[in-house]
Amino acid sequence: MNMGLNFSNMRRRGCLYGIIFVFIPCTILIVVIGTDYSSEQSMSQRMAEFQMRMQYLESMYRTKQEDVAILSQYLRYVSLQAIGSISAMMSTRSTYKTNMSSAANLDMLDGLSEDSRSLIRNATIVARLMESLKLPTAFHFLPHLLDDSASLQPSYIESKKRQGVSMVLGIPTVKRDKQSYIVETIDNLISNMDEDEQNDTMIVVYVGEPDLTYVKGVAQRIRLRFGSFIDSGFLEIIAPSISYYPNMNNLRQTLNDSLERVRWRSKQNLDFAFLMAYARSKGAFYLQLEDDMLTKRGFITTMKNFALEKTAKKESSSWFVLDFCQLGFIGKMFKSADLPWLITFFQMFYNDKPVDWLLYHMIYTKVCSVEKDAKNCKQEMAKLWIHYKPSLFQHIGMQSSLRGKVQKLKDKQFGKIPNFYPHRNPPALVRSGIQPYKSYTLQKAYTGDSFFWGLMPQPGDLIEFLFKQPTIVRRYLFRSGNIEQPSDRFYNTTVEVLPIDGLTGAPIVSYNVTKDGFLVVGSFNNNGIAEGTIDSKIGKLKEIRLHVYSDSQNWVILREVIK
């Protein structure tokens, strides 16, 4: 029996298993959840999407091949250890004839085939043939990871193990001295996707803090607001192990930066690498975001169409990054198959430069020649780093995650942030005792012409929507406040409905009932949002209203009304 041939067969068998377990399910997945295309879309775009899917599948297959190779090497090691032990036993057989345990082992050896005994006799020769080259890994650049076997495992994870989407949005978040924007950022992203976009998208929130108590607090806040999205697999939350980070006090001070700034940017590089490594198996494209930004309605479809358009054109098909924001690392989109390049580059140079500089230098290294001038370099880089205008993302945070740093940067290409989004609502009479400011009336908010801006609400104030015809309402959504006036929102305010059939029948007794016969179906949360569904058993409604129960020191803005 030839040992080398045996392991060669094992590798081929491992690759075959990789094909079975990766390509077949993923092929079925493409067929099942493949995007519907309108007749206007070109064949080239369809081919471009197929190409992106194939690159994603190939990268997943390579991952399986790596697993097979590592397993093969491990089995070789174990086999050689076993062969060495057996050889030692055979060489000392005469010495331990009186030992019953050894005799039992030798009896087992007698049961081996002649080929196996021959293989054992030639173990030394086999060992020499099996020496293989060891390539550098992440452990060479981050040797501290070897100190803990769990260093690359998340210390916290909420996941339904969803995969196969088109777009994965990665949002790193860290502790800030003052205000956190993570909940508002997630809410803005979700509210600017339609149902089809949500079905082909995932959000991964990375809490880059070693303090597990803090991590769980952030996760609890996110789950409180977006629990249904976590349960569906649309939203995931992860955090790294404390042993993932090196000793930040031992970092080299580079670029004449203070040690605090070097710690901050070095940690950010490692955070991005961890998040990318986790997210790359989940979708065809990966989009890097931050935890304090806004976007525009339909941004997912816009980005996907732009990516397919560039992929379909020969001169831009080799793009490496599509840039949907001019600031920092916000809105940078990559093919998931290309992420290993970035991950490795960040690991190698995490202590040297900021993350956005590393992205620039990596692309510079790929295409710029020392024998060409700066103009040629810029032209070549533009083929790999393609900008989209106008920008789809805007930075809103004022306090940087770096202590003491004020971040006032704004992307001028983003344009004006919408103060409201119009919706089609059933005909209704609207009224309220809250006085409107200038022309920002409740009627205009309901019809989608503007938003409602009212003076300070008082206890007992109502905002009423009386339907002209009894109406079945399946879902409601009221958003108060906006980016410019975030405190002008509803506090201690409930959503109440009046069924046309009154309170007769058992199905509705689980709701609290007001003195005048309204059912309390929801309330505004701490973010100024009231959202929910109404049980179909309630039937048609005469009216839906907002009921204020406490004083407010602020005015109130109602910018979205959906029925």
Side-chain angles (χ1 to χ4, degrees):
M1 182 184 294
N2 188 293
M3 188 66 166
L5 180 59
N6 186 35
F7 281 114
S8 177
N9 290 335
M10 185 183 302
R11 285 198 301 272
R12 287 197 292 270
R13 194 178 304 117
C15 291
L16 177 61
Y17 290 157
I19 293 172
I20 293 173
F21 289 113
V22 177
F23 271 102
I24 293 178
C26 290
T27 303
I28 294 173
L29 190 62
I30 293 173
V31 173
V32 172
I33 66 169
T35 308
D36 291 332
Y37 291 96
S38 65
S39 58
E40 290 81 10
Q41 286 185 300
S42 66
M43 179 61 71
S44 60
Q45 278 202 325
R46 298 189 190 188
M47 291 300 297
E49 179 159 19
F50 177 76
Q51 179 182 340
M52 292 297 97
R53 290 282 184 177
M54 286 303 300
Q55 287 184 4
Y56 165 66
L57 294 178
E58 287 171 4
S59 69
M60 294 303 96
Y61 177 61
R62 284 196 296 272
T63 300
K64 295 300 180 184
Q65 284 183 309
E66 292 170 9
D67 293 342
V68 170
I70 292 171
L71 178 60
S72 178
Q73 289 180 4
Y74 175 75
L75 291 176
R76 288 179 185 177
Y77 173 78
V78 171
S79 298
L80 288 175
Q81 292 296 313
I83 290 170
S85 299
I86 294 171
S87 299
M89 290 172 61
M90 292 182 67
S91 66
T92 58
R93 184 170 183 174
S94 60
T95 307
Y96 295 96
K97 285 183 179 179
T98 58
N99 188 298
M100 296 300 295
S101 176
S102 296
N105 289 329
L106 293 173
D107 287 340
M108 285 192 299
L109 292 178
D110 290 338
L112 293 175
S113 67
E114 182 61 33
D115 287 340
S116 296
R117 289 198 295 270
S118 176
L119 175 64
I120 292 172
R121 294 189 193 101
N122 293 286
T124 306
I125 299 174
V126 173
R128 285 201 302 268
L129 294 175
M130 286 183 152
E131 291 295 330
S132 58
L133 184 68
K134 293 182 179 180
L135 296 175
T137 67
F139 298 114
H140 291 82
F141 311 120
L142 305 170
H144 67 278
L145 297 178
L146 294 169
D147 297 336
D148 181 7
S149 60
S151 58
L152 291 177
Q153 297 175 5
S155 64
Y156 182 92
I157 183 169
E158 287 208 46
S159 170
K160 296 299 180 182
K161 303 186 184 302
R162 188 181 176 203
Q163 287 186 323
V165 299
S166 288
M167 195 81 64
V168 181
L169 314 183
I171 309 176
T173 185
V174 295
K175 187 185 297 184
R176 296 175 184 268
D177 288 341
K178 296 183 179 180
Q179 184 177 0
S180 172
Y181 307 91
I182 183 62
V183 172
E184 289 82 357
T185 295
I186 297 172
D187 180 72
N188 181 265
L189 290 170
I190 295 175
S191 64
N192 282 297
M193 296 184 214
D194 61 28
E195 186 176 353
D196 289 338
E197 290 173 326
Q198 290 180 17
N199 289 337
D200 201 26
T201 303
M202 281 184 63
I203 296 176
V204 179
V205 176
Y206 171 93
V207 187
E209 293 293 340
D211 182 355
L212 194 56
T213 301
Y214 175 81
V215 170
K216 290 180 177 179
V218 174
Q220 185 177 11
R221 289 199 344 258
I222 294 174
R223 173 166 277 283
L224 186 64
R225 174 70 183 90
F226 308 105
S228 62
F229 292 97
I230 295 175
D231 293 337
S232 70
F234 172 83
L235 177 61
E236 296 190 358
I237 307 171
I238 62 169
S241 167
I242 188 172
S243 58
Y244 171 66
Y245 298 109
N247 186 335
M248 293 296 184
N249 293 319
N250 293 337
L251 296 174
R252 293 176 293 103
Q253 286 187 252
T254 57
L255 305 180
N256 291 321
D257 283 344
S258 66
L259 183 57
E260 183 179 14
R261 188 177 182 88
V262 171
R263 288 195 200 103
W264 171 74
R265 57 176 169 81
S266 297
K267 179 179 176 298
Q268 186 179 57
N269 287 331
L270 294 174
D271 287 341
F272 280 30
F274 193 107
L275 176 54
M276 289 177 175
Y278 176 84
R280 76 183 186 94
S281 66
K282 295 184 175 296
F285 300 108
Y286 174 81
L287 179 73
Q288 185 73 38
L289 297 174
E290 291 188 6
D291 63 351
D292 53 353
M293 36 72 54
L294 294 174
T295 188
K296 296 178 179 179
R297 187 63 56 94
F299 72 102
I300 292 292
T301 299
T302 300
M303 291 190 303
K304 184 177 177 181
N305 288 343
F306 186 70
L308 296 179
E309 174 192 334
K310 294 302 177 184
T311 303
K313 295 180 180 179
K314 184 177 180 180
E315 64 271 18
S316 58
S317 60
S318 298
W319 63 268
F320 187 83
V321 54
L322 299 182
D323 198 340
F324 296 94
C325 181
Q326 307 305 308
L327 301 177
F329 220 106
I330 301 175
K332 306 299 184 281
M333 192 173 93
F334 309 91
K335 304 164 192 169
S336 293
D338 288 340
L339 286 179
W341 291 83
L342 276 177
I343 295 167
T344 304
F345 207 73
F346 294 166
Q347 291 172 341
M348 292 171 63
F349 301 107
Y350 75 94
N351 188 184
D352 298 290
K353 293 185 178 181
V355 67
D356 49 341
W357 290 21
L358 290 181
L359 174 61
Y360 174 88
H361 285 299
M362 182 185 157
I363 296 179
Y364 178 94
T365 302
K366 287 174 73 72
V367 297
C368 291
S369 170
V370 294
E371 299 177 350
K372 301 289 181 65
D373 58 16
K375 181 179 179 180
N376 176 266
C377 177
K378 186 176 181 180
Q379 290 173 346
E380 293 301 314
M381 290 185 67
K383 296 177 183 178
L384 298 192
W385 191 330
I386 301 175
H387 293 267
Y388 176 89
K389 297 180 181 181
S391 298
L392 294 181
F393 302 95
Q394 179 63 284
H395 181 261
I396 60 170
M398 296 294 290
Q399 296 294 327
S400 170
S401 55
L402 175 60
R403 183 176 301 176
K405 181 181 178 183
V406 178
Q407 190 78 285
K408 294 184 178 181
L409 294 175
K410 297 293 180 184
D411 191 335
K412 296 179 181 180
Q413 295 184 11
F414 181 80
K416 187 177 180 181
I417 299 173
N419 286 321
F420 70 98
Y421 289 109
H423 300 281
R424 294 181 61 183
N425 293 311
L429 173 66
V430 300
R431 63 190 184 193
S432 176
I434 302 175
Q435 287 297 113
Y437 173 66
K438 294 186 176 180
S439 61
Y440 299 104
T441 64
L442 184 60
Q443 181 64 41
K444 288 184 176 181
Y446 188 77
T447 56
D449 297 320
S450 184
F451 60 92
F452 172 64
W453 200 358
L455 306 185
M456 292 181 290
Q458 303 298 314
D461 279 344
L462 301 172
I463 289 183
E464 300 175 283
F465 307 96
L466 297 89
F467 301 119
K468 294 183 178 180
Q469 296 292 333
T471 302
I472 293 178
V473 178
R474 304 294 189 198
R475 173 178 175 267
Y476 63 87
L477 170 61
F478 298 95
R479 294 182 187 272
S480 62
N482 61 24
I483 298 302
E484 296 176 357
Q485 305 291 339
S487 60
D488 285 5
R489 58 178 185 257
F490 281 107
Y491 303 88
N492 194 17
T493 302
T494 57
V495 180
E496 302 168 355
V497 300
L498 182 64
I500 191 171
D501 297 328
L503 301 182
T504 59
I508 58 175
V509 295
S510 60
Y511 291 101
N512 292 329
V513 182
T514 65
K515 293 180 180 179
D516 53 351
F518 280 77
L519 304 178
V520 181
V521 296
S523 61
F524 281 81
N525 61 25
N526 293 333
N527 299 310
I529 299 170
E531 182 178 14
T533 57
I534 299 176
D535 195 327
S536 60
K537 296 177 182 177
I538 293 178
K540 295 183 177 181
L541 303 180
K542 291 181 182 179
E543 181 182 344
I544 186 168
R545 73 185 185 186
L546 309 181
H547 192 161
V548 180
Y549 281 90
S550 61
D551 289 319
S552 176
Q553 301 302 313
N554 302 298
W555 291 12
V556 66
I557 289 174
L558 187 62
R559 59 187 172 93
E560 279 196 69
V561 181
I562 299 180
K563 305 278 193 316

